[in-house]
Amino acid sequence: MDNIAILSPKYLENNSGIKATIDGVEMSVPLDPSNRHYAEIMRQVDAGTLTIQEAD
Amino acid sequence: MALSKIQSNSYEDTAVHGQRNLIINGAMQVAQRGTSGTSGNGYNSVDRFRIASGSTDEWALTQTQETDAPTGFSKSTKYTCTTAETALASDEWAAIQYTFEGQDLQHLSYGSASAQSVTLSFWVKSSATGTFGVSIYQPNDGRIIGSTYTIASANTWEQKIITFAGDTTGIIDNVNTEGLRIYWFLAAGSSFTSTDNTSWKAYAGTDFAYGHAVNLIDSTSDNFYLTGVQLELGETATTFEHRSYADEFARCQRYFERIQTDGAGTPIGYCSVRTGSWYGGVPFLIEKRSAPSVTLNGSLFLAGIYGDISSQTPTGINEISKRGCRPYKTSGSYTAQGSFIAFQTPASHYIDADAEL
């Protein structure tokens, strides 16, 4: 199956979401397991291949 | 009314009912993202039909919405190879993919003795002839079934009809996430084509594109058109269920919505402006499948009671739900006021809310 490229994930204010560049597009991603981007971010975090930066 | 005037059950049972087609946008009428896209994997143009691939390292493509279509249809989607994969490695594959929501497939009764057959019908036109693979993958339990079809004449519209048995083993979860995927293969390396998948089985990789024998990613002359896609219960393909544009558009917006105001400075939401920050609210037109990922392309214009604030790029967009989102900015100096939100350049700026599967 195909992969989603995720770069520079960072939590938004109050950890209310994640800003990341996904397949070349900057997106705000909600913390919803049904959201395919969030699910893929967490899959890569769990695999140890991605780290989410803390919010400013 | 006399009882004799009421339609008999036998008449009702044999009628061709509406809502037969489980596919959304099967006639490729809706293309919210635009008529042409080149981003590779993902949704490039027509709604609900995405490009999927694995391990390709040179291949590039365009996916477009076209007016070239068979009789009875006005639109199709076209894949075109723009950079060829010089040699198809065993682990490389490419396809057009459609994904169903699990809760919309519960009447298929998969995982029981009552599992229903489904029939897939579609129109295709390809630059190459040969044997093509099409597979249905069930991600909840990792199950697969597939078939092949033959394109006999190049660059000619042909309708294909394939019936798939119901899966008495795998259960499609009753959820708002993936239930089934359909893959129309464009190319598949030898690692994916060797194991028979013509009855439901546990997915093994080698059965992903069983029988697919055409390489449509090896030349910039390669192209593949698709339209008139219908998946319906039973073992017979009925005539395509044409829906209105408005109906298909609303169905598509459950999965993706481009908020754009057609060149007018129409408000898209409201905003509370504070002295050093602002927080807006932008509702979606249609409730989404899940909380969507949100992208702002361009900038926002805040029309306030005490003055306008132009060219605003939010710090972020949060509080995203199925119903809306909150763009916000935590820097700058403003006059506290209420305002509405519009796009800075309505003709080209927009917000995408993506809840695709």
Side-chain angles (χ1 to χ4, degrees), chain B residues 176-259:
Chain B
N176 66 339
T177 51
E178 293 183 299
L180 290 177
R181 303 174 193 165
I182 302 176
Y183 292 94
W184 288 265
F185 287 99
L186 304 168
S190 58
S191 294
F192 304 111
T193 58
S194 61
T195 302
D196 191 324
N197 68 1
T198 52
S199 58
W200 279 104
K201 64 185 291 295
Y203 173 75
T206 53
D207 48 21
F208 188 34
Y210 176 64
H212 184 85
V214 178
N215 185 348
L216 275 181
I217 68 172
D218 64 347
S219 165
T220 53
S221 300
D222 293 336
N223 60 68
F224 183 90
Y225 292 75
L226 181 67
T227 194
V229 182
Q230 179 153 291
L231 185 77
E232 60 195 306
L233 224 55
E235 298 181 354
T236 303
T238 61
T239 55
F240 185 80
E241 180 191 340
H242 287 280
R243 303 188 188 116
S244 70
Y245 179 86
D247 189 355
E248 293 285 21
F249 185 51
R251 290 172 190 247
C252 290
Q253 286 185 312
R254 175 172 171 79
Y255 303 92
F256 180 86
E257 180 179 335
R258 175 159 291 181
I259 301 171

Side-chain angles (χ1 to χ4, degrees), chain A residues 20-31:
Chain A
T21 300
I22 300 176
D23 286 337
V25 178
E26 186 177 281
M27 295 183 181
S28 295
V29 179
L31 308 182

